Amino acid sequence: MSAVPLVGARASRLQERTVSVLGATGSIGSSTVDLLRRNRAHYRVEAVTAGRNAAALAALAKEFGARFAAVADESAYGALKDALAGTGIAAGAGKAALVEAAQRPADWVMAAITGAASLEPTLAAAERGAVVALANKECLVCAGPLFMKRAAAAGATVLPVDSEHNAVFQSLGAGERGCVRRIILTASGGPFRSWSLDAIRKATVEQALKHPNWSMGAKITIDSASMMNKGLEIIEAHHLFEAPPDEIDVLVHPQSIVHGMVEFKDGSVVAQLGPPDMRVPIAHCLAWPTRIEGANRLRLDQLANLTFEEPDETRFPALRLAKAALRTGAGAPTVLNAANEVAVAAFLERRVGFTDIAALVEATLDAASARGILADPADVAAALALDRTARSLARELLPEIAAKAI
Ligand code: NAD
Ligand code: MG
């Protein structure tokens, strides 16, 4: 990662940038689009992608005069092509089209597809040396060492969009990397922060989707409720900042104002604060190394207090599982991520209860270990193969976990 600007440097002029937005119709995608809309003179949109919402994607492509639009779901291709007829905007569908969108010549690529499905397109952007604004964390959990190695070899710049990592990235600019004592990620604690384990066990989909501070896509909202999100973020921080697991701490901070901190060996703790609005870190990445208008001002005078507490791994076992997977290393984080994606989807479909999410992840990790399939994936194809194997293992174990809960 390149250095941050010199202290006291005058704001540099924002150069015109070509950008592509992968996952343009999602929560992060929409916040990115909002910033592009408000800073139109500086950005030209090359490509946009979505899962299956052809109408929304075509509208965005037309609004910004993109050159290429692609949907992941091939059955949405006809609708996309029709909606773009006569505009001169090329349409694509399927995995290869997502990779093509990432390969198109944009200076800057927002990686905001959800889940491990983001790995190949995000890697395609990194491998041509682009500036990659990385919102998606699952690709680093699935194949972190491989992703970072290939991004570095291609001379790509990876900018962290995840609010905690963006905060750490900004805070790291205050000192030399070798002088860091600890990296601290904050967590809101989610909707069940103060609930008993018994109440959490009975949590409904609606309750889990009601995040107290952030408005996000469904998968990450459930991950926040289980605190698996923080577990994934520890693994993400490990890869982004080359930080050993013992150097990364989590503090529950229900107000979501301090997003991340870096403690240096002289005792200084440098933090980044901001409103709980993803437009802040996205704007930071969009304009980096300069700044653009992002979100409304943070009004500290209107806040009663800022509190911090230790996370509870008994009520939130997902955090413990993610830490253990990081320590185990090799294929364990890949399996953790895949099993979690299956478990969250099953919970959203009301096929398992809330606490079954962590139970299924743990059972899948145990089964994968017993079958001896946790070896370090040698390349991206091996990581994706392990991801697929872990998903089928999790699906096999799902009925047993669901039955146990009754
Ligand atoms: P979302 O569900 O709102 O949007 C996801 C986007 O990806 C949509 O455009 C969707 O159409 C597309 N998509 C979904 N599945 C796909 C697939 N299989 N192939 C291709 N495209 C697909 O999700 P989000 O909340 O915007 O999160 C996106 C990523 O950013 C996630 O990895 C999440 O962990 C990360 N992130 C999100 C937030 C947030 O505030 N929302 C914060 C930090 C990190
Ligand atoms: Mg985060």
Side-chain angles (χ1 to χ4, degrees), residues 30 102 111-112 124 133 138-139 144 167 182 196 201 251 254 258 263 272 297 304 323 330 334 351 358 367 371 389-390:
S30 303
E138 292 93 339
C139 68
R182 284 191 315 158
S196 69
R201 216 170 267 133
L251 274 180
V258 178
E263 181 185 317
Q272 184 261 0
R297 284 184 57 196
K323 283 185 183 174
T334 314
R351 289 163 56 214
R371 291 188 192 186
T389 307

Side-chain angles (χ1 to χ4, degrees), residues 23 25-28 51 72 112-113 117 135-138 162 216-217 220 278:
T25 55
S27 167
I28 293 284
I113 291 172
N136 175 284
K137 60 197 89 185
E138 292 93 339
D162 209 351
M216 313 180 281
I220 183 174
M278 286 308 291

Side-chain angles (χ1 to χ4, degrees), residues 39 75 95 110 142-143 160 187 283 291 321 335 352 359 377:
N39 294 276
S75 68
K95 277 187 181 178
M110 166 55 77
C142 175
R291 304 259 180 179
L321 293 173
V335 172
V352 295

Side-chain angles (χ1 to χ4, degrees), residues 68-83:
F68 184 61
V71 276
D73 187 341
E74 293 185 13
S75 68
Y77 179 64
L80 182 64
K81 206 166 176 325
D82 290 349

